[in-house]
Amino acid sequence: MRLVLASQSPARLRVLRAAGIDPVVRVSGVDEDAVAAALTDPAPADVVVALAEAKARAVLGDLDADVLADAVVVGCDSMLHYGGDLVGKPATPEVARERWAKMSGGTGELLTGHAILRVRDGEVVDTAGGTESTTVRFGNVTPEEVDAYIATEEPLAVAGAFTLDGLGGWFLDGVDGDPSSVIGISLPLTRRLLSGLGVRVTDLWRSTR
């Protein structure tokens, strides 16, 4: 059985590899704005799960037959729930700067939606999904620090305009909850979802022999 990661995120890939899994990686190319816009009055958790499932389903056509014979396809999506707003990647320096002006010294909830497709003989035979919510406590960050951080371009392509495992970690006072979820994929939640599909995460570990 293979685990397929439907994500281009190097952070998610690092988390899985550090936890003993070498996934097949495929990039979904999903139009996230279109998926979110199609939802009717969704709760924040519903948005990230819908995006995660869309990503997982989008890569099925890019997988070889030998992988599709026996696989679990994992999609993830992270967004920051802060001040009543649900935000993803800022994309531009101006948006990132505006967000950090609001987040500095405050707290937010980093929501990571997970969707897993159980595939046998090329068919999706079962699915599981869920959301992990982790409280993020932002430090008091000066405008000069924000400018220096934005100049690296790191915050432009990550949910909430920050990382825990990169340069952004300097500007966080801490997290309450699962750190791996803030990085992009919750190991505890993924294990529980896999178990619900009858898959033991230990069977996905790379061989050490």
Side-chain angles (χ1 to χ4, degrees):
M1 184 191 307
R2 298 299 305 272
L3 185 145
V4 178
L5 177 63
S7 174
Q8 64 181 350
S9 165
R12 291 187 180 115
L13 180 58
R14 285 195 300 269
V15 169
L16 287 175
R17 284 179 171 168
I21 294 176
D22 290 320
V24 175
V25 177
R26 293 292 184 273
V27 179
S28 66
V30 163
D31 185 336
E32 298 181 19
D33 291 338
V35 172
L39 302 174
T40 302
D41 194 26
D46 296 334
V47 175
V48 290
V49 171
L51 288 167
E53 183 170 352
K55 292 177 180 180
R57 291 189 179 277
V59 305
L60 290 174
D62 295 330
L63 297 173
D64 296 333
D66 61 330
V67 174
L68 289 171
D70 191 14
V72 286
V73 182
V74 180
C76 299
D77 188 83
S78 298
M79 300 184 80
L80 180 69
H81 195 218
Y82 190 95
D85 295 324
L86 189 63
V87 297
K89 305 175 184 70
T92 69
E94 293 75 20
V95 173
R97 189 172 290 106
E98 179 182 342
R99 289 185 186 171
W100 269 100
K102 294 177 180 178
M103 296 186 309
S104 180
T107 61
E109 297 296 319
L110 197 286
L111 305 176
T112 298
H114 298 64
I116 301 180
L117 312 179
R118 181 69 176 96
V119 181
R120 289 196 187 95
D121 299 323
E123 300 292 332
V124 177
V125 298
D126 207 351
T127 65
T131 304
E132 190 70 25
S133 176
T134 306
T135 299
V136 180
R137 292 178 279 113
F138 296 96
N140 289 299
V141 186
T142 68
E144 293 77 15
E145 288 173 322
V146 170
D147 286 343
Y149 185 34
I150 290 172
T152 70
E153 299 188 354
E154 179 187 90
L156 306 186
V158 290
F162 74 94
T163 63
L164 174 64
D165 58 329
L167 297 172
W170 292 104
F171 309 123
L172 305 183
D173 282 347
V175 299
D176 302 316
D178 173 23
S180 64
S181 179
V182 179
I183 297 172
I185 181 168
S186 168
L187 296 181
L189 177 57
T190 300
R191 182 181 64 82
R192 293 195 298 270
L193 294 176
L194 287 170
S195 179
L197 296 176
V199 177
R200 296 181 301 185
V201 71
T202 52
D203 290 337
L204 298 170
W205 288 352
R206 73 176 70 88
S207 174
T208 58
R209 295 189 297 273

